[in-house]
């Protein structure tokens, strides 16, 4: 009888600790740096600016 009570107590303790480890915790909100406004070159690349089937003209590098 004593062995059964010890085994049940140990099982209950393990289950309690495992359950407590799964509880959600509040974490602080990460501080992201502010994004620079107006600095991204959106729409400045030649992608989509040329007719279909034509590639942008690039100067030779030699």
């Amino acid at each position: 009888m004593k062995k059964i009570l010890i085994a049940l107590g140990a099982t209950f303790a393990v289950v309690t600790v495992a359950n407590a480890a799964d509880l959600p915790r509040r974490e602080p909100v990460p501080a992201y740096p502010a994004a620079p406004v107006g600095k991204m070159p959106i729409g400045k690349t030649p992608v989509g600016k040329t007719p279909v089937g034509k590639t942008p003209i690039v100067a030779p590098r030699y």
Side-chain angles (χ1 to χ4, degrees):
M1 185 72 168
K2 193 184 225 183
K3 291 180 183 179
I4 294 173
L5 288 177
I6 291 173
L8 285 175
T11 303
F12 181 72
V14 169
V15 169
T16 304
V17 170
N19 189 23
D22 288 336
L23 292 176
R25 292 185 210 118
R26 290 187 62 120
E27 295 184 7
V29 178
Y32 295 113
V37 178
K39 299 293 183 184
M40 295 297 293
I42 297 173
K44 306 278 189 216
T45 60
V47 175
K49 303 281 184 180
T50 59
V52 175
K54 305 256 182 183
T55 58
I57 299 173
V58 179
R61 297 185 181 171
Y62 49 88

